[in-house]
Amino acid sequence: MTDHAMHAPAEDHGQEHLSDATYIKIALLLVVITAVEVAIYYVDWFHTSGTLVPALAVLSLVKFITVISYYMHLKVDDPRYRYIFVCGLILAGLIVAALAALMRTHKIDYALRFITGA
Amino acid sequence: MAQAVATLEHAHGAGDIPHAADHADHPPSSTGLDSRKLLMWLFLASDCMFFGSLIAMYMIYRGDAERMFLAGQGAGPVPHEILDIPYTSISAFVLLMSSLTMVLALASIQRGNHRGLRIWLGATAALGLVFMGGQFYEFTAFYHEGLGLTTNIFSNSFFVLTGFHGAHVTIGIIWLISLVIVSLRGGLRQDQAMNVEIAGLYWHFVDIVWIVIFTLVYLIPYDDVTTITEGAEHALRFIGLG
């Protein structure tokens, strides 16, 4: 028990939580952002001006960060959880980029191979 | 014991003491972190890579399927013909709401409100079931429109990606229902809130994966998908990996 007490200040005791009202406000924000995402999809200007992808990327990034920060408590939790998750995200991004590059630079027509069964 | 509690009070304030009771079942680790929570975060980080690879394959194959469609080749419907944005928007809304009910369930048990815990956990599981019902309906509708798992490369990558996400949701629903049953039997005390928090982390992760899928799979048009994959290739070349 003495060891327990000695290590206590560094231990994981959860985190400070927000009020229910704040969680509901965050949910409303997420719903509004989703509605905006869908709305801009139907606005031709976003398609023709080339701003659709940047706009959708920003909006979904805001949703993503909001959920992990407040609902998953990464904003107030031990930073080591954050480092672990961000490492996973970085590796996932590299995997996406590497697969995209692999499929394109090797000029393999996977579609044709799929159809012909080759 | 009294010395340990006094040290904890000094370090964290009296409000955190209920969490300290977790150590009765789970002794402190050398990292100072809860091992189960650490394991869950490691799992979620690895799951990011899993879904990253599935999303990448979808984006690449979808582009190929659309190109073949434009060239008059290929079989079956292609994304722009079949994806139903308004319908999927409702699914996205349902999953977002389930994240809210999940976090309210955690807040309830941390306050010792077991009735609230069961209500919010039940609501989360119910919303998850609604989402899965929506996905089942979508898959069935696609199948009746001629899009099966092996119809073309778009359908192949689409069903694998969204199917694996659905499998994650299903596991989450089973987990949540299990927690409700355990709580009803009196096996989930206030000082065991970490059990709910870990289930919550998993559930919120399922939600953020859908946030990404909803944008990349449903909202971004084909031409822009091609631009993104080309951009990834250029980025890799820029850093000397392409």
Side-chain angles (χ1 to χ4, degrees):
Chain A
M1 203 66 232
T2 308
D3 281 350
H4 182 170
M6 287 172 65
H7 288 94
E11 284 160 12
D12 180 16
H13 297 291
Q15 58 288 312
E16 293 171 26
H17 290 280
L18 304 171
S19 67
D20 288 359
T22 309
Y23 286 134
I24 292 168
K25 284 177 190 168
I26 291 168
L28 288 174
L29 171 71
L30 294 171
V31 169
V32 168
I33 293 173
T34 305
V36 171
E37 280 182 318
V38 176
I40 66 172
Y41 176 82
Y42 289 103
V43 177
D44 284 340
W45 181 81
F46 281 96
H47 290 265
T48 54
S49 65
T51 52
L52 182 67
V53 172
L56 288 174
V58 169
L59 290 170
S60 55
L61 188 66
V62 170
K63 283 164 67 180
F64 189 96
I65 292 173
T66 303
V67 172
I68 63 171
S69 300
Y70 295 101
Y71 284 177
M72 298 173 86
H73 305 114
L74 273 188
K75 187 177 168 68
V76 292
D77 222 335
D78 191 294
R80 284 172 287 181
Y81 296 128
R82 202 179 313 150
Y83 302 149
I84 289 168
F85 191 62
V86 169
C87 282
L89 286 176
I90 291 169
L91 285 171
L94 286 173
I95 287 170
V96 171
L99 282 171
L102 180 72
M103 292 298 179
R104 292 184 55 79
T105 55
H106 289 268
K107 307 295 182 193
I108 300 168
D109 193 349
Y110 284 93
L112 192 59
R113 289 175 62 183
F114 186 91
I115 296 300
T116 59
Chain B
M1 182 66 192
Q3 185 188 359
V5 172
T7 308
L8 285 169
E9 279 186 356
H10 177 70
H12 299 280
D16 285 340
I17 290 305
H19 292 286
D22 273 349
H23 300 308
D25 297 332
H26 300 279
S29 63
S30 59
T31 59
L33 301 173
D34 185 286
S35 299
R36 296 164 297 159
K37 192 170 168 183
L38 181 62
L39 183 65
M40 176 50 73
W41 275 113
L42 284 167
F43 167 73
L44 297 181
S46 66
D47 228 19
C48 286
M49 297 174 236
F50 175 74
F51 276 107
S53 57
L54 290 179
I55 288 169
M57 295 315 295
Y58 171 81
M59 290 171 73
I60 293 160
Y61 283 164
R62 174 185 173 168
D64 285 349
E66 296 269 18
R67 269 194 295 277
M68 292 179 72
F69 171 80
L70 292 173
Q73 298 173 309
V78 287
H80 76 266
E81 294 180 309
I82 201 163
L83 293 179
D84 187 345
I85 306 298
Y87 180 79
T88 317
S89 305
I90 294 169
S91 294
F93 170 77
V94 167
L95 213 52
L96 281 175
M97 288 302 98
S98 76
S99 263
L100 170 64
T101 54
M102 184 69 233
V103 82
L104 292 176
L106 176 61
S108 293
I109 192 173
Q110 286 174 337
R111 286 194 295 259
N113 179 0
H114 293 273
R115 185 169 174 272
L117 166 73
R118 289 190 282 271
I119 288 171
W120 291 123
L121 280 182
T124 309
L127 288 167
L129 283 169
V130 170
F131 177 84
M132 286 310 298
Q135 191 172 59
F136 180 76
Y137 175 81
E138 183 187 42
F139 282 11
T140 308
F142 284 2
Y143 184 76
H144 287 304
E145 289 183 44
L147 195 74
L149 178 64
T150 56
T151 303
N152 56 32
I153 50 175
F154 153 66
S155 71
N156 196 269
S157 53
F158 173 82
F159 282 122
V160 169
L161 171 59
T162 54
F164 267 111
H165 178 264
H168 277 67
V169 175
T170 305
I171 292 168
I173 292 168
I174 294 168
W175 193 347
L176 294 171
I177 292 172
S178 303
L179 284 174
V180 172
I181 293 169
V182 170
S183 175
L184 284 169
R185 290 180 173 177
L188 204 53
R189 302 187 307 270
Q190 183 180 0
D191 58 20
Q192 293 172 314
M194 185 60 80
N195 294 346
V196 179
E197 184 170 349
I198 291 169
L201 289 176
Y202 177 83
W203 191 261
H204 297 309
F205 177 77
V206 166
D207 184 26
I208 58 174
V209 169
W210 190 253
I211 287 172
V212 176
I213 289 176
F214 180 60
T215 303
L216 289 179
V217 173
Y218 290 90
L219 293 181
I220 293 182
Y222 150 66
D223 290 341
D224 294 319
V225 168
T226 307
T227 306
I228 290 169
T229 53
E230 285 173 353
E233 179 191 339
H234 293 320
L236 276 185
R237 281 184 177 163
F238 182 74
I239 61 175
L241 295 176

